[in-house]
Each structure stands twice: as structure tokens, then as C-alpha cells.
């Protein structure tokens, strides 16, 4: 099978912010590729660079204080980082749809939903006002907003939180993008509403076939929808690979720590153990620790981890494409009983 | 019939919180029933979980039982004393025993007060007899107890991480040796790698100090882990209340089932199967909650209301 060129090819992306307290190295050499139709789940905590690297590739990091200090991001063949803003605007929306965490602050409270869903259609797809409105109604239908024709003329505050996020998805999908980026799109929503949104995105993916980058801190959501999972820490990818391989056989200690710190929903109170917490705090990215940034919190760290940052490399003995950044051999360390 | 256990620390009966709704040009007034006829007990050393979606009234109950926002009707008895009828002076004394931890530790902290002064504030307010040295020692011990370096007492809130800030709030909450703490979404704003630390700390403190918690959370996974009993709230009413194993293994109310069925599982094969099953099964209709009925020992389920 000859591999077709990837839809998105991120190469050595680095982003820094100049603050009063010093330079924050938010993204430090992130490289990965995304196939057409692939769903990539990116997991990490605040400060991991998971959101910032996406904003940077879309030209949405404010400069100053932000600076892209290196790298290329090829999307359908052209380097997004080299495109002028005018050209980038024709990529954001029509080719790459975006859905963010808080729909209330992303939607304009003074514009009807119809106007906001129709805007990208008129600007980017060249539709006139009446066909844009008809298409906006179809889109609200698509995202399962009941009584779409009537609700077109409602304002955002007249929708529930889950419905507003559906509207955002409708806007994100308006021009049938090849890639949809959802950044903590369900984090602010209740668990049953989150389930509805996840199911909706899954259905739309089957209908439209777009690729998805789903950024979240919820390992459960990623487990269900992602083909590939990518774990980020301190502005780097620390592990990535097919979702089944990474969840069943994690090779980076941070990935393992995240998976182990979750209590088991099916386990009763009898015989339960203390939660296996990850010690310490995420690093201050103004003064990242030398070497592997997770080393100070890692019970499996070796002296080399504290001196030298490990490269992201193919895991020996796992499936192709399962990559981890670790100097230590995690399964061997676990078998030795290191770090409890 | 109401869920009752012998000698509770906190006993809440028929608690309601109503807000007047007035149309902006006057006219007919109505009430918004944020919480309606809620009753539960919390035993000494027990953790009761309160789960439900945003707007279900979880936080309103937390604020009502601590009298931060007193209930419209109903009683809140703490060790047999009805808090709502307590004179202000007496309530102030009672506050030593009842503490609250909030979701956003940064908002709870005063940015211009050092961490040490923040943790010492309860001593200044409630223990004027305490000398400076005694207070400093007590603060150092509290820092140590919650896993913070006492040398950080001179630092300011912005110099701490989110998890450390929540530890500061917990240190202050336990300063006066309370017996009851309302924890309102205490881990929701924290990074995943920090949540387990704070939950472990809350659990250690409970064992050491014999604390009771009202743990308000939308994290159903943590609730099962931490709570002895769980009450499920919907539209201001309890729809189901049981010990946590019973509730999670044998949920009876359709709303509890919907809620538990929506929790994603961090196991790819299991989670894909769960998504497939949800796609194929039609969602059950959820009736409005009426009075609670005991379906098993200590397991209470709301009957469908007769509309």
C-alpha cells in the first residue's frame, strides 16, 4: 500500500511567549502527521502545549507576546506558517473547522444564529444570502437542533449549553472542511450532553468523512473516538500511537500515571486502594527542568532522564507507529517493582 | 417516609430554596424552585456525594446547609441544633465547625494576602487568645499536614500552582478543627494529574480528623471512589439516594441510569462498545420526580410525580 501524503504534517513546531517573568517555552519541537479521515485525540493538562500548538498553526496566537520560534505546518501541501493572514483566512473555516470550549464566548450574543452560521457560507463558499440561509437551516438539522427552521432567528442565549455547542459544530462544519479541530469542546458540558455531542461528531464523521483533532484532558472520550492518541507534556509529545496500543501498553511514565490515577468506575468501595497519584506539579515553563521534563515527578526516572531529553522513537516490541519519549524501559521497570 | 440514619451529624429536612421570578415590567410573579423538598442525613465521618447536572441545585444545597445562602423553608440540624433559627452570634461560633471548599481556589484566595496570613485568618477571627508564635506554629503544622512546605508561608497566591492553591484552601478549612466540610467541585478546576492528590488528601484528613463531607461533584468516577453514599439530584429534587455501591451497581431511576451510562470509560474496546450500545438503545423518557420510596435498605428512589 503506497501511503498518500498526509493531510496535515507538523514539523518541529516551537512556540514561545515573552512575559514579564521571562520566556515561556510553550511548544518545544512538536512533529506529527494526520491522515485524511483520521481521528487524533490529543491529551494533556494545562500548559502541555496541546491547545497552543493548534492555535499557532492556525495563526491564532497573538503576536506579541507569542512567537513561533520554529517549524513548518503543511496542510494540503502548503506551509500554513508561511501563509499571509489573508490566505490563512481562506483556510480557517472553509478547510479547517474549529470548535472551542466555551460556545457562549465564541458566539456573538447580538447576532442571530442564522447570521452566524450563514457568515462562513457567504464569505467562503460564495453563497448568496437566501441560499446561505437555506444551508444554515440544513446545518442546524444536521447537528440535530429540533425545529431548526424556527430557531434560525433565535439568539445564542435562547439555546442551552449543549445546543450552543451544536451550533458551533454547525459553523465549524459549514463549508465541509477536511479537518475539524475540537479544543475541549465538551469540557464545560454535562456528562449526558457530552455523550450526545460525541455521538453527533461520530455520526457526522461517518457522513462527511473529515479528519478530526480532538483535544481534551478526558482519557475516556479519547478511548472511544480516536484512531490515534497523542499525549503531550511540557510542550512535547511524550507518547503517541494507535489508541489500543497506547492504552493497553503505555511506555511513557506520564501516560501510565494518567491512566492509573483514574478510579475504576466498576470497582466497589470494598477492597479499593488509595488512588495512585502523580506526585508534584506540572513544570513552570519559564524554567523547564533540564532533560526529560517529567523526570522530577517520575518514580521510574533514570539519571539520564534528568540530564538529557529523550527523543520520540518507535517503541520496540509494539505496533508500528507507537512512539514514546523515554530513556527507561517502562515494562521492565514495572516488572522490577520500581516506583512502587 | 424519609431516609433516616441514627444520630446524624447533619440532618436536612424538606429543604427548599425558591427565588422570586418577576417579569421585568412587573406583572404576575412566579417562583423558581432551585431546590425542592430535599432531605438527607450525613453521619459522623461519612461522605455524602451530591451529583447531578449543572442547574440541578447541587451548589444551592451546599450553600443552604452552610447558611451561606439560607434555605427558604426546611430545617438544617447540625448536631441537633437547627442552624436556620440560630442567632447570628451563635451561628458565628458554629462556623468553626462547618467549613466550605470551593471549585476555584484562585478566586477563593486574596491575591494580596500571603499564604501564611490566609491560613492564619481563622485564628485571628475565632481565636483571639492565640499568640503570634502559637499561630505561626499552628500554620506551619497545617502547611505540613496538607503537603505544603511551611517555608512557602510568605509567598502569594500567584506563586502557587492550582493544586497547591487548593491545598491552601484545605489548610484554612481545617484550621479550626471542623467536623463537617462542604466540598463544592473541589477538583473540577484542577489538572488531571493533580486531582488524585487532592482526593487522597481529603480522604486522609477524613480518617485523621473524623470529618464528614458533603462532596458536590459532576465527576461520577471520583464520587464512586470517595463517597459512602450518593444522592442524585435533578431539577432541584433528589431522584435517587443509596450507598454508593448500590447506586452504581443497581441504579433504579431512569435519570441515574442515563447519567451513569454517559460516563466514558478509559478503555478503547469497552468505550467503543459503550458508544455502539448507546447508539442503538433509545433514550428512556425521564419522568418528573415525586416523593422518595425505599426500594431496599437505605436505597431511596423517586416515584414518578403525578402531574
Amino acid at each position: 500500500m503506497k501511503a498518500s501524503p498526509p493531510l496535515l504534517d507538523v514539523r518541529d513546531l516551537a512556540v514561545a511567549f515573552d512575559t514579564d517573568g521571562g520566556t515561556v517555552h510553550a511548544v518545544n519541537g512538536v512533529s506529527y502527521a494526520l491522515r485524511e479521515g483520521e481521528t487524533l485525540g490529543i491529551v494533556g493538562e494545562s500548559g502541555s502545549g496541546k491547545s497552543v500548538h493548534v492555535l499557532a498553526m492556525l495563526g491564532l496566537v497573538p503576536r506579541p507576546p507569542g512567537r513561533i520560534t520554529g517549524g513548518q505546518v503543511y496542510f494540503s501541501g502548503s506551509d500554513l506558517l508561511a501563509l499571509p493572514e489573508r490566505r490563512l483566512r481562506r483556510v480557517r473555516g472553509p478547510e479547517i473547522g474549529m470548535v472551542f470550549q466555551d460556545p457562549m464566548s465564541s458566539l456573538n450574543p447580538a447576532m442571530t444564529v442564522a447570521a452566524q452560521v450563514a457568515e462562513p457560507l457567504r464569505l467562503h463558499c460564495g453563497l448568496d444570502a437566501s441560499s446561505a440561509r437555506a444551508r444554515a437551516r440544513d446545518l442546524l438539522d444536521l447537528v440535530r437542533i429540533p425545529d431548526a427552521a424556527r430557531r434560525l432567528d433565535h439568539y445564542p442565549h435562547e439555546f442551552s449549553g449543549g445546543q450552543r455547542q451544536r451550533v458551533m459544530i454547525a459553523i465549524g462544519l459549514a463549508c465541509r472542511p477536511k479537518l475539524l479541530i475540537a479544543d475541549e469542546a465538551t469540557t464545560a458540558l454535562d456528562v449526558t450532553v457530552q455523550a450526545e455531542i460525541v455521538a453527533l461528531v461520530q455520526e457526522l464523521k461517518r457522513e462527511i468523512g473529515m479528519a478530526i483533532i480532538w483535544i481534551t484532558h478526558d482519557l475516556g472520550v479519547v478511548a472511544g473516538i480516536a484512531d490515534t492518541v497523542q499525549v503531550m507534556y511540557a510542550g512535547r509529545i511524550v507518547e503517541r500511537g494507535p489508541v489500543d496500543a497506547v492504552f493497553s501498553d503505555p511506555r511513557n511514565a506520564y501516560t501510565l500515571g494518567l491512566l492509573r490515577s483514574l478510579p475504576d468506575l466498576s470497582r466497589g468501595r470494598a477492597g479499593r486502594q488509595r488512588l495512585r497519584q502523580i506526585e508534584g506539579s506540572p513544570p513552570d515553563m519559564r524554567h523547564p527542568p533540564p532533560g526529560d521534563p517529567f523526570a522530577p515527578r517520575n518514580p521510574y526516572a533514570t539519571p539520564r532522564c534528568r540530564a538529557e531529553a529523550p527523543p520520540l522513537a518507535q517503541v520496540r516490541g509494539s505496533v508500528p507507529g507507537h512512539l514514546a519519549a523515554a530513556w527507561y524501559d517502562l515494562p521492565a521497570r514495572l516488572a522490577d517493582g520500581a516506583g512502587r | 417516609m424519609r431516609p433516616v440514619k441514627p444520630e446524624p451529624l447533619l440532618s436536612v429536612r424538606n429543604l427548599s430554596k425558591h427565588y422570586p421570578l418577576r417579569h421585568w415590567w412587573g406583572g404576575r410573579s412566579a417562583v423558581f424552585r432551585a431546590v425542592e423538598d430535599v432531605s438527607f442525613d450525613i453521619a459522623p465521618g461519612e461522605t455524602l456525594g451530591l451529583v447531578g447536572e449543572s442547574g440541578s441545585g447541587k451548589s444551592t444545597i451546599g450553600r443552604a446547609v452552610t447558611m451561606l445562602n439560607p434555605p427558604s423553608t426546611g430545617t438544617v440540624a447540625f448536631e441537633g441544633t437547627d442552624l436556620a433559627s440560630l442567632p447570628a452570634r451563635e451561628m458565628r461560633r458554629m462556623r468553626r465547625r462547618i467549613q466550605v471548599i470551593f471549585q476555584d481556589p484562585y478566586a477563593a484566595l486574596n491575591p494580596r494576602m500571603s499564604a501564611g496570613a490566609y491560613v492564619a485568618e481563622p485564628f485571628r477571627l475565632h481565636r483571639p487568645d492565640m499568640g503570634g508564635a502559637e499561630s505561626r506554629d499552628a500554620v506551619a503544622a497545617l502547611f505540613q499536614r496538607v503537603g505544603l512546605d511551611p517555608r512557602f508561608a510568605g509567598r502569594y497566591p500567584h506563586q502557587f500552582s492550582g493544586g497547591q492553591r487548593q491545598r491552601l484552601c484545605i489548610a484554612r478549612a481545617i484550621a479550626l478543627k471542623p467536623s463537617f466540610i462542604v466540598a463544592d467541585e473541589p477538583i473540577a478546576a484542577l489538572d488531571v494529574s493533580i486531582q488524585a492528590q487532592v482526593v487522597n488528601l481529603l480522604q486522609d484528613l477524613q480518617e485523621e480528623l473524623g470529618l464528614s463531607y458533603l462532596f458536590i461533584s459532576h465527576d461520577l468516577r471520583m464520587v464512586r471512589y470517595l463517597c459512602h453514599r450518593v444522592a442524585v439530584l435533578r431539577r432541584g429534587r433528589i431522584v435517587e439516594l443509596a450507598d454508593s455501591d448500590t447506586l452504581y451497581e443497581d441504579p433504579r431511576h431512569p435519570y441515574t441510569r442515563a447519567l451513569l451510562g454517559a460516563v466514558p470509560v478509559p478503555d478503547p474496546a469497552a468505550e467503543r462498545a459503550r458508544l455502539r450500545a448507546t447508539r442503538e438503545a433509545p433514550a428512556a423518557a425521564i419522568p418528573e420526580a415525586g416523593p422518595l420510596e425505599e426500594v431496599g435498605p437505605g436505597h431511596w428512589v423517586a416515584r414518578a410525580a403525578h402531574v
Side-chain angles (χ1 to χ4, degrees):
Chain A
M1 193 177 86
K2 180 84 177 73
S4 54
L7 176 68
L8 181 75
D9 190 357
V10 183
R11 294 188 194 167
D12 225 13
L13 180 62
V15 185
F17 290 85
D18 298 310
T19 69
D20 292 343
T23 303
V24 177
H25 299 278
V27 179
N28 301 300
V30 163
S31 303
Y32 63 92
L34 182 75
R35 298 184 314 271
E36 286 192 20
E38 181 180 355
T39 300
L40 170 67
I42 302 185
V43 180
E45 49 201 0
S46 47
S48 65
K50 63 186 196 297
S51 299
V52 168
H53 92 276
V54 159
L55 294 176
M57 68 171 117
L58 297 171
L60 294 175
V61 164
R63 291 176 248 194
R67 270 186 296 133
I68 292 170
T69 52
Q72 298 91 39
V73 177
Y74 293 99
F75 178 77
S76 302
S78 52
D79 181 5
L80 296 180
L81 301 185
L83 289 184
E85 173 60 22
R86 179 176 47 82
R87 292 268 313 276
L88 209 47
R89 249 184 255 145
R90 292 208 296 265
V91 175
R92 284 194 310 254
E95 306 217 29
I96 302 178
M98 294 159 292
V99 182
F100 295 108
Q101 174 171 351
D102 180 4
M104 203 54 203
S105 62
S106 306
L107 290 168
N108 183 337
M111 269 168 87
T112 64
V113 160
Q116 297 184 66
V117 180
E119 191 174 66
L121 295 165
R122 288 192 295 106
L123 288 177
H124 300 299
C125 311
L127 296 188
D128 61 44
S130 71
S131 31
R133 188 181 160 86
R135 176 107 178 86
R137 194 198 55 231
D138 293 346
L139 282 163
L140 292 191
D141 269 336
L142 183 72
V143 295
R144 280 59 168 178
I145 287 190
D147 202 6
R150 194 176 56 85
R151 305 222 55 194
L152 273 177
D153 296 311
H154 287 191
Y155 289 87
H157 74 268
E158 297 173 271
F159 289 78
S160 70
Q163 285 180 331
R164 285 198 285 263
Q165 200 56 292
R166 284 164 192 265
V167 171
M168 288 308 300
I169 292 171
I171 295 172
L173 293 175
C175 299
R176 303 223 157 212
K178 296 191 196 106
L179 169 61
L180 181 73
I181 298 178
D183 186 1
E184 299 279 10
T186 58
T187 301
L189 303 175
D190 288 321
V191 61
T192 53
V193 182
Q194 165 174 288
E196 288 167 23
I197 297 288
V198 167
L200 171 70
V201 170
Q202 292 277 83
E203 269 175 64
L204 296 176
K205 186 181 166 76
R206 277 191 292 274
E207 287 170 32
I208 300 173
M210 73 279 186
I212 296 174
I213 295 181
W214 191 279
I215 301 173
T216 180
H217 62 270
D218 190 326
L219 291 161
V221 173
V222 166
I225 66 170
D227 303 310
T228 308
V229 60
Q230 177 165 307
V231 182
M232 294 185 66
Y233 187 79
R236 298 162 197 266
I237 299 171
V238 297
E239 183 154 9
R240 113 174 215 114
V243 67
D244 293 271
V246 172
F247 274 71
S248 64
D249 185 18
R251 298 300 182 104
N252 179 281
Y254 177 65
T255 314
L256 176 73
L258 284 182
L259 286 168
R260 280 209 306 209
S261 69
L262 293 175
D264 187 347
L265 192 64
S266 60
R267 188 184 218 119
R269 282 184 62 85
R272 86 207 162 111
Q273 291 159 340
R274 192 177 161 79
L275 291 178
R276 304 176 85 156
Q277 64 188 40
I278 301 177
E279 303 295 341
S281 305
D284 178 350
M285 294 310 288
R286 282 170 302 189
H287 313 286
D292 180 340
F294 188 60
R297 304 174 71 186
N298 181 2
Y300 310 106
T302 63
R304 193 177 185 185
C305 300
R306 285 179 273 271
E308 197 184 338
L312 186 66
Q314 170 68 39
V315 170
R316 259 181 293 162
S318 186
V319 294
H322 184 180
L323 316 177
W327 290 125
Y328 45 86
D329 179 355
L330 194 55
R333 303 281 288 161
L334 286 168
D336 293 348
R340 287 158 300 158
Chain B
M1 285 287 283
R2 297 284 170 209
V4 178
K5 272 190 143 187
E7 295 170 53
L9 178 77
L10 184 85
S11 183
V12 174
R13 288 292 172 275
N14 310 103
L15 183 147
S16 297
K17 182 75 196 180
H18 297 168
Y19 292 96
L21 282 177
R22 234 168 242 116
H23 211 274
W24 56 271
W25 65 73
R28 207 157 53 98
S29 61
V31 293
F32 172 63
R33 297 166 190 275
V35 174
E36 185 69 10
D37 195 20
V38 162
S39 302
F40 58 83
D41 288 338
I42 302 182
E46 185 185 46
T47 302
L48 176 71
L50 211 50
V51 303
E53 308 207 318
S54 43
S56 61
K58 306 190 291 288
S59 293
T60 307
I61 291 177
R63 298 178 65 85
V65 301
T66 50
M67 296 295 138
L68 289 173
N69 186 9
S72 309
T73 58
T75 58
V76 178
F78 183 77
E79 293 177 335
T81 310
D82 180 21
L83 298 181
S85 59
L86 220 52
R89 236 180 89 88
E90 298 290 311
M91 188 61 216
R92 216 173 95 86
R93 291 167 53 81
M94 202 58 113
R95 289 226 180 275
R96 301 181 192 182
R97 317 275 322 277
I98 304 171
Q99 292 289 326
V100 190
I101 304 167
F102 295 104
Q103 171 172 353
D104 182 357
Y106 201 58
L109 293 165
N110 178 344
R112 291 164 67 175
M113 191 184 262
S114 75
Y118 176 77
V119 173
E121 201 173 36
F123 297 141
R124 272 201 297 122
L125 297 174
H126 292 276
R127 297 282 309 276
D129 55 301
M130 235 183 182
E134 196 189 344
S135 160
R136 264 193 304 281
D137 289 350
V139 167
L142 286 167
F143 267 62
Q144 216 126 41
R145 185 56 215 91
V146 299
L148 289 172
D149 188 332
R151 287 173 303 178
F152 292 173
R155 294 193 179 181
Y156 287 84
H158 73 270
Q159 293 170 290
F160 291 93
S161 69
Q164 289 171 328
R165 286 183 203 133
Q166 196 56 290
R167 287 173 192 270
L168 278 176
C169 294
I170 293 171
R172 177 182 160 120
I174 61 170
L176 298 169
K177 302 195 166 46
S179 45
F180 175 51
I181 293 180
V182 173
D184 189 354
E185 298 276 10
I187 58 166
L190 302 178
D191 280 323
V192 183
S193 78
I194 304 299
Q195 292 180 353
Q197 291 179 4
V198 171
V199 167
N200 280 339
L201 174 62
L202 289 174
Q203 192 151 257
D204 293 346
L205 292 173
Q206 177 165 57
E207 278 164 26
E208 268 170 52
L209 308 173
L211 288 168
S212 299
Y213 293 122
L214 178 62
F215 186 74
I216 300 172
S217 178
H218 67 270
D219 186 336
L220 294 157
R221 199 181 293 286
M222 263 331 166
V223 166
R224 163 140 217 201
Y225 175 77
L226 188 67
C227 300
H228 300 93
R229 287 187 304 137
V230 179
V232 180
L233 219 63
R234 178 169 186 261
R235 299 186 184 170
R237 289 175 179 273
I238 291 178
V239 299
E240 190 157 0
L241 172 68
D243 71 81
S244 67
D245 286 351
T246 305
L247 189 96
Y248 280 77
E249 274 152 35
D250 185 22
R252 297 291 183 89
H253 197 275
Y255 182 67
T256 313
R257 289 182 178 164
L259 211 54
L260 295 178
V263 182
V265 191
D267 171 333
E271 176 61 7
R272 283 190 294 260
R274 190 190 68 81
L275 288 175
R276 249 191 322 272
T278 324
R279 204 157 57 228
E280 281 150 19
I286 297 167
E288 288 305 313
L292 290 174
E293 191 173 41
E294 193 167 21
V295 297
H299 187 174
W300 299 80
V301 181
R303 281 198 300 256
H306 303 291
V307 184

